[in-house]
Amino acid sequence: MSFDLVFFGGTGDLTWRKLMPALFQAFRHGKLPEGGRILAVARDEQTDERYREWLKERFQEVEAGKRPNDEEFARFSELVHYRRMDLSQPEHYGKLKEWLSERNADTVVLYLATSPHLFTQICQQLGAAGLNGPKVRVVLEKPLGHDLASAQEINKVVRSVFDETQAFRIDHYLGKPSVQNLMALRFGNALFEPLWRRESIANIQITLAEGLGVGTRGPFYDSTGALRDMIQNHALQLLTMIAMEAPSSNDADAIRDEKLKVLRALKPFTAESVARDVVRGQYRAGSVDGKPVPAYLDEGKIPPDSHTETFVALKTEIQNWRWAGVPFYLRTGKRLAARDAQIVINFRPVPHPIFPGSSCPNRLIIKLQPEDGLELQLMANKGGSSTEALSPVSLDLDFDKAFAHTRVGAYERLLLDAIAGRLNLFVRSDEQEQAWKWVEPILNFWKQDSTGPRTYVAGSWGPPAASALIARDGHSWIEEC
C-alpha cells in the first residue's frame, strides 16, 4: 500500500522529537508499509538534502536506543522530503496537491503538528484545494480547543471538509501498549469482569504524575494548565476504558459508543462540588531527584501573578448501575515525587476477617509508565503458623519483558493506524466535546475564584488538600498506604 504522510509543522518540536523518531522505529522494525513518502512542510526555505541533514542532527537528541546509525538513517532519509509552505497562502496548498498527485498514492495522511489555533485555517484551505478526497485522512493533535466552544468550532470546520471517518483526533496515551491492554484485560479474559463492578470495587485511582516542570513550554502551559493538558483528554480517556461496558465488537464505533456512554454518565460538577471535590495546585521551589528546582512562577516567561494550575486532584462518580457509589479519583501534576502513570483498582475488604492482624484489601495496579505491566496484590500466609498474620504478596507481570520483541511505542502505533485507517485508538468528536462539557464547570468556577491554586513543594505528591480529599471517604493514595 503506497502512502504519502505530510507533517504540517515539519520543523516543530513534536515532529522531530516524537513523530519522526516513531516513524523511524516503524521503518527499523519493518512495519512501515512499502511505497511510502514522508513530507515535512514549514515556512523555512530548505531543500530535501538540507532538511535531512537537519533531521539527522535532531536525531542525536532522542533516546540513545532509538537513534539510527548512519546506514539506517541513509535508507530512512530516502523517504523524507521537504517543501516550503506558508499555511496562509491558498496557492501553496495547490502546489502541495500537485506534489501529491505526482504518483497518486493509495493513502494520504495529513498530520497537523501545528498550534491548534491553525487547525481551522488549515482544514478550510485543504478543502478549498480539494485535498479532502476519500483516500485522505487528517490527524489532529491535542489540545483540540481551549474550551467547549472552541472545540465545537474546530469540529464544525473539520466536519465541513472531512467525513468523520477521515478525522483522526490523536491522544497518544491511547497508543501506549499498556492502555491497549486495558481492553484485553477486561474483554479478552474472564477472570476480572465478574468483579469489575460496585459490589467488589471500593474505589479507582488514576494518577498521571510527572517529575519535570514546564521547561521551555512556559507560555503554552500557562495558557493551558493541568486540567486542559492532562485531565480533559488523557485521564478521561483512561477512565472511559476502565469503566465502559463491553462493546459488541472490536469495531471503532462500537468501542467509542461505549466510551461516550461513560462520559455522559459522569456526575456533573456544580460550583459547590467543584469547591469540595477538586483541588488545584501550583508548585513552589523544591527538590526533584536530589536537585533543586525553581518554583513555577520563577520558570521562564511565566507571569509573576499566574494562577495557572500545575496540579489537579478530583473526585467523581459514574451514575449508572455498574458503578453507582464507587468514587473515581483522578490526579495529575508536574514536579511531583516521581514520573508515574498508573491506574489502581482497590477492591473491597473481605466481609468477615478470620485471620489475626490487619488485612489489606486486594489491589490491581495497571502500570502505564515508566514501567508497563500489571501487579495484583494479594494476602498470603508465610507458612510459619496457622495463627500468624497474613502478609501482602504480589503477582507482577512486566509486559516489556514478556513481549520484548513485539512492543511498539505510542506514536509508532498511532501513526501506523492512521496510515492503515484504523480508528479504534482515536477520539471521536462527540467524545471530545462531552469531555469538554464535563470539565467546563471547573474552568468557570476557577475564573471566579480569586484565591488561586494551593502551593505544594516540588518533589512532593501535591498539596496536602489532595490527601484530605480522598481521606474524607476513608481512602488514601497508593503511596500513602
Side-chain angles (χ1 to χ4, degrees):
M1 178 188 71
S2 62
F3 71 90
D4 283 331
L5 174 54
V6 182
F7 289 129
F8 293 85
T11 56
D13 276 11
L14 177 63
T15 299
W16 71 261
R17 286 185 187 275
K18 299 291 186 180
L19 303 179
M20 285 295 190
L23 279 175
F24 169 70
Q25 292 306 312
F27 175 81
R28 170 186 271 176
H29 298 153
K31 296 180 181 293
L32 199 64
E34 295 285 341
R37 291 191 303 181
I38 303 164
L39 176 65
V41 301
R43 294 175 66 98
D44 307 38
E45 193 68 63
Q46 296 197 58
T47 62
D48 286 359
E49 194 55 42
R50 283 178 58 194
Y51 181 79
R52 290 166 182 167
E53 291 173 0
W54 175 87
L55 185 61
K56 186 176 183 179
E57 293 176 3
R58 300 284 81 74
F59 264 111
Q60 300 310 305
E61 300 181 41
V62 305
E63 186 180 331
K66 297 183 178 179
R67 295 175 195 163
N69 59 38
D70 289 344
E71 186 272 333
E72 286 177 320
F73 185 81
R75 290 190 293 113
F76 174 71
S77 66
E78 291 177 1
L79 309 180
V80 179
H81 304 268
Y82 180 87
R83 287 188 69 88
R84 181 184 177 277
M85 189 167 174
D86 184 337
L87 299 180
S88 66
Q89 299 301 314
E91 61 269 23
H92 287 200
Y93 291 85
K95 292 178 181 178
L96 173 62
K97 184 179 181 181
E98 290 176 10
W99 188 86
L100 293 170
S101 299
E102 286 175 3
R103 63 175 194 143
N104 196 28
D106 297 327
T107 300
V108 175
V109 179
L110 307 173
Y111 198 120
L112 308 194
T114 66
S115 174
H117 79 271
L118 295 173
F119 287 177
T120 54
Q121 177 190 32
I122 295 173
C123 287
Q124 287 169 337
Q125 295 281 17
L126 290 172
L131 282 168
N132 60 341
K135 65 181 181 181
V136 176
R137 293 156 194 155
V138 62
V139 181
L140 304 165
E141 260 290 343
K142 73 106 178 171
L144 289 164
H146 196 70
D147 52 20
L148 178 60
S150 58
Q152 289 174 328
E153 178 60 27
I154 290 173
N155 285 330
K156 178 182 176 183
V157 172
V158 172
R159 281 194 294 265
S160 72
V161 178
F162 297 98
D163 185 81
E164 181 66 36
T165 59
Q166 296 175 276
F168 289 67
R169 296 169 187 83
I170 202 166
D171 185 324
H172 73 268
Y173 261 76
L174 296 185
K176 291 179 179 290
S178 49
V179 175
Q180 297 165 39
N181 263 308
L182 289 179
M183 290 282 288
L185 174 72
R186 291 197 56 197
F187 307 127
N189 298 280
L191 180 62
F192 289 111
E193 192 58 24
L195 305 177
W196 217 259
R197 55 193 315 108
R198 58 186 175 84
E199 290 86 356
S200 301
I201 294 177
N203 67 87
I204 293 178
Q205 303 174 15
I206 299 176
T207 296
L208 303 176
E210 298 178 276
L212 296 174
V214 297
T216 59
R217 299 171 70 225
F220 165 78
Y221 193 89
D222 198 64
S223 66
T224 304
L227 185 71
R228 293 183 176 96
D229 193 41
M230 298 295 286
I231 296 292
Q232 183 272 335
N233 39 69
H234 302 326
L236 282 187
Q237 283 294 315
L238 294 176
L239 183 150
T240 61
M241 298 185 77
I242 282 290
M244 64 189 280
E245 297 296 325
S248 58
S249 69
N250 202 28
D251 174 74
D253 276 333
I255 294 169
R256 298 190 292 184
D257 286 346
E258 297 301 334
K259 288 162 62 183
L260 180 61
K261 290 176 185 177
V262 174
L263 292 170
R264 287 175 172 166
L266 284 171
K267 187 176 182 178
F269 278 109
T270 63
E272 180 183 6
S273 63
V274 172
R276 182 186 66 239
D277 295 334
V278 181
V279 176
R280 62 170 168 161
Q282 186 184 91
Y283 63 83
R284 60 177 189 266
S287 176
V288 176
D289 294 331
K291 299 178 181 179
V293 295
Y296 176 74
L297 296 180
D298 294 328
E299 299 276 16
K301 300 181 180 179
I302 300 297
D305 59 348
S306 172
H307 279 185
T308 296
E309 78 285 355
T310 62
F311 175 93
V312 177
L314 61 84
K315 170 189 173 181
T316 188
E317 297 177 26
I318 298 173
Q319 298 177 315
N320 62 21
W321 275 39
R322 180 184 289 268
W323 297 112
V326 177
F328 284 72
Y329 303 104
L330 281 59
R331 64 173 173 170
T332 187
K334 289 190 173 294
R335 291 294 190 209
L336 296 182
R339 175 176 176 259
D340 188 19
Q342 62 183 8
I343 302 166
V344 180
I345 314 295
N346 288 304
F347 292 93
R348 295 189 183 279
V350 295
H352 176 62
I354 62 172
F355 295 97
S358 60
S359 180
C360 299
N362 302 139
R363 176 183 289 138
L364 176 66
I365 304 173
I366 303 166
K367 302 175 183 179
L368 308 177
Q369 68 181 28
E371 299 174 9
D372 178 9
L374 294 174
E375 181 180 345
L376 180 60
Q377 297 183 355
L378 307 170
M379 300 300 295
N381 190 300
K382 291 182 179 179
S385 73
S386 59
T387 59
E388 72 179 4
L390 300 182
S391 300
V393 295
S394 295
L395 301 175
D396 203 345
L397 173 62
D398 186 329
F399 287 137
D400 285 330
K401 292 180 180 177
F403 308 119
H405 300 294
T406 57
R407 309 295 270 171
V408 299
Y411 273 110
E412 181 181 346
R413 171 65 184 269
L414 292 170
L415 284 165
L416 291 174
D417 280 2
I419 293 169
R422 293 187 291 264
L423 283 158
N424 297 44
L425 299 179
F426 295 85
V427 181
R428 202 168 59 192
S429 60
D430 49 4
E431 284 183 81
Q432 178 213 0
E433 291 178 14
Q434 186 63 34
W436 276 118
K437 183 177 181 181
W438 184 75
V439 302
E440 194 149 78
I442 305 175
L443 295 170
N444 291 337
F445 180 86
W446 287 349
K447 287 178 185 177
Q448 309 301 321
D449 181 15
S450 60
T451 60
R454 304 167 189 266
T455 61
Y456 62 96
V457 178
S460 70
W461 280 105
S467 297
L469 168 71
I470 194 170
R472 288 202 311 260
D473 301 327
H475 306 306
S476 58
W477 298 107
I478 185 170
E479 73 275 0
E480 299 170 342
C481 293

